[in-house]
Amino acid sequence: MKKALSAQEIYVRSVKRTDHKVRFWRIFSGAAILAAWEWCTRMEMIDSFIFSSPSKLVRCFQTLLSDEGLAGHIGITLYETLASFLLVIGISLVFAVLLWRSRTLSRIVEPYMVMLNSLPKSALAPLLIVWLGANYKTIILTGISVAVFSSVMSLYTGFMEVDPEKIKLIDTLNGTSRDALYKVVLPANIPNLFSIMKVNIGLCLVGVIIGEFMAARRGLGYLIIYGSQVFKMDWVILSILILCMIAMGLYLLLDLAEKIYQKKAS
């Protein structure tokens, strides 16, 4: 006789089946879109010069990789994105801590943070080019400007939402504000920090591409602008697809890091 499954085993199997089903439909839908795209171009239902096709993009990828240094362009964009992302996280933590420790400072700075966060960041790029020149520093700073203000505000909000009773407990035990920060506030905000990082990695990539549109001679943003200027639409579409894969890969790495942390914490 078969052993009866417990409720927990039934639930785990159900979750696994759902995960397998989701993975299958993700792969199937992606393959179906590519197949429909290729078929529509071969049947001349859409113009392959404007919309390209999967087969043309594969050939374009091989050509760019061997003749145009595509790996170098990808590496430049990835380096600038990671540099701006790490700087955003560091700057956000420092400013959020300063605002948390000084309520007066937070009341003074908050309106300016809201104003700067709502400012279109593409409007800053021409100024940054004039101030710093057309180089990688301008591009990294553009990436930082897109994400840093919202990141600081989100972190500061998370700091302020920590259970005040735990802070009072630290004070009762003659602890300092540093003790409260390291033992209560920061540990309580690690899940919030991971959520902010997942958003920031995409924002930094957007900022870097904006910077590369205006100040780069290498990178995927440069390939998009150059390809559109000389009507090499294969370059443009391929670069966009690579950007999508980079964004997805970086997000999945952060998601994996979060899951590892959750396992260790539990």
Side-chain angles (χ1 to χ4, degrees):
M1 295 180 64
K2 292 184 178 180
K3 182 181 177 181
L5 297 176
S6 65
Q8 181 180 4
E9 290 173 331
I10 293 173
Y11 173 75
V12 170
R13 289 191 177 187
S14 174
V15 170
K16 288 183 178 179
R17 281 197 300 269
T18 303
D19 289 342
H20 292 325
K21 188 183 296 184
V22 168
R23 291 194 189 98
F24 169 78
W25 282 110
R26 281 177 178 174
I27 295 171
F28 178 81
S29 58
I33 291 170
L34 291 175
W37 184 8
E38 180 71 26
W39 182 78
C40 287
T41 55
R42 288 178 182 266
M43 299 299 294
E44 298 184 352
M45 297 174 65
I46 59 176
D47 191 342
S48 62
F49 175 76
I50 297 175
F51 296 99
S52 191
S53 68
S55 58
K56 288 184 68 176
L57 291 178
V58 170
R59 293 193 295 270
C60 178
F61 177 80
Q62 294 171 341
T63 302
L64 286 176
L65 199 61
S66 59
D67 299 338
E68 300 293 336
L70 179 61
H73 289 287
I74 295 173
I76 289 291
T77 299
L78 193 58
Y79 163 74
E80 291 165 345
T81 300
L82 292 176
S84 61
F85 170 73
L86 294 174
L87 287 170
V88 164
I89 297 302
I91 293 169
S92 300
L93 283 169
V94 170
F95 274 90
V97 169
L98 290 175
L99 296 176
W100 173 78
R101 296 192 66 169
S102 175
R103 304 299 169 84
T104 303
L105 178 63
S106 67
R107 291 178 63 185
I108 294 171
V109 171
E110 186 174 1
Y112 296 102
M113 296 292 294
V114 173
M115 178 183 66
L116 291 171
N117 186 47
S118 61
L119 180 70
K121 306 309 181 295
S122 57
L124 294 175
L127 286 175
L128 295 176
I129 293 172
V130 173
W131 292 342
L132 301 176
N135 52 50
Y136 72 95
K137 295 179 183 177
T138 299
I139 297 169
I140 291 173
L141 196 55
T142 305
I144 292 172
S145 68
V146 170
V148 70
F149 303 113
S150 61
S151 181
V152 171
M153 293 173 64
S154 298
L155 268 178
Y156 172 66
T157 302
F159 286 4
M160 297 303 295
E161 290 177 351
V162 172
D163 188 356
E165 296 300 323
K166 294 181 180 180
I167 305 295
K168 289 181 181 178
L169 179 60
I170 296 291
D171 294 336
T172 303
L173 298 173
N174 295 323
T176 63
S177 58
R178 178 176 294 183
D179 295 324
L181 176 66
Y182 287 109
K183 297 182 183 299
V184 176
V185 176
L186 286 178
N189 274 274
I190 290 180
N192 183 37
L193 180 60
F194 273 113
S195 298
I196 292 170
M197 289 167 65
K198 287 179 179 179
V199 174
N200 282 348
I201 194 65
L203 292 177
C204 289
L205 183 58
V206 170
V208 163
I209 295 304
I210 291 173
E212 288 184 346
F213 282 169
M214 299 184 178
R217 291 295 177 267
R218 297 195 70 190
L220 294 174
Y222 165 74
L223 285 182
I224 292 173
I225 286 295
Y226 178 75
S228 64
Q229 290 172 344
V230 298
F231 293 98
K232 293 185 177 181
M233 304 310 295
D234 294 342
W235 289 27
V236 176
I237 296 174
L238 179 63
S239 298
I240 292 172
L241 291 177
I242 292 173
L243 286 173
C244 292
M245 289 187 284
I246 289 175
M248 182 183 296
L250 294 175
Y251 179 90
L252 290 176
L253 285 176
L254 289 173
D255 188 59
L256 177 62
E258 183 181 19
K259 290 179 180 176
I260 293 172
Y261 167 76
Q262 289 173 345
K263 285 184 180 180
K264 289 184 178 179
S266 60

